[in-house]
């Protein structure tokens, strides 16, 4: 723990990280970073691509995707939402 603020700052600044994907965050973990990241030209939504807000926190379930730009964000959403298919044994495969 403790990387939340730093990881989002790296995405917003353009140095060191292009995407942050997290789950089970509280409102206090991401609300303040939304305007900072968007102001820096980044995109931040839940895993379904919906805007993060006080009103939809229960629906988003604290799942946050932050990206340096729209193109990366769309690609990450596609991967996060790809169907998962069973493979041999206990392995799972994502169809992207």
């Amino acid at each position: 723990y403790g990387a939340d603020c730093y990881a989002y700052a790296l995405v917003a600044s353009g140095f060191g990280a292009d995407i942050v994907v997290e789950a089970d965050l509280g409102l206090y973990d991401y609300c303040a970073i939304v305007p900072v990241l968007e102001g820096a030209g980044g995109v931040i939504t839940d895993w379904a691509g919906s805007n993060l807000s006080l009103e939809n926190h229960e629906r988003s379930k604290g799942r946050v995707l932050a990206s340096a730009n729209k193109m990366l964000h769309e690609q990450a959403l596609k991967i996060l939402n790809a169907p998962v298919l069973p493979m041999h044994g206990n392995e799972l495969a994502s169809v992207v």
Side-chain angles (χ1 to χ4, degrees), residues 21-81:
V21 180
E22 296 194 279
D24 200 31
L25 295 182
L27 288 167
Y28 47 82
D29 290 319
Y30 62 80
C31 276
I33 197 66
V34 171
V36 174
L37 205 119
E38 289 176 345
V43 181
I44 185 166
T45 67
D46 67 10
W47 291 9
S50 299
N51 290 331
L52 296 171
S53 68
L54 296 173
E55 293 80 21
N56 77 348
H57 176 70
E58 291 300 317
R59 185 176 40 127
S60 296
K61 300 177 184 174
R63 295 177 178 168
V64 176
L65 171 62
S67 306
N69 60 57
K70 186 176 179 178
M71 183 183 73
L72 279 174
H73 202 80
E74 289 172 356
Q75 291 174 348
L77 284 171
K78 184 177 177 183
I79 292 167
L80 284 171
N81 292 295

Side-chain angles (χ1 to χ4, degrees), residues 2-13:
D4 289 340
C5 182
Y6 184 64
Y8 293 111
L10 288 174
V11 173
S13 69

Side-chain angles (χ1 to χ4, degrees), residues 83-87 91-95:
V84 178
L85 302 174
M87 287 182 59
E91 300 174 12
L92 295 177
S94 180
V95 178

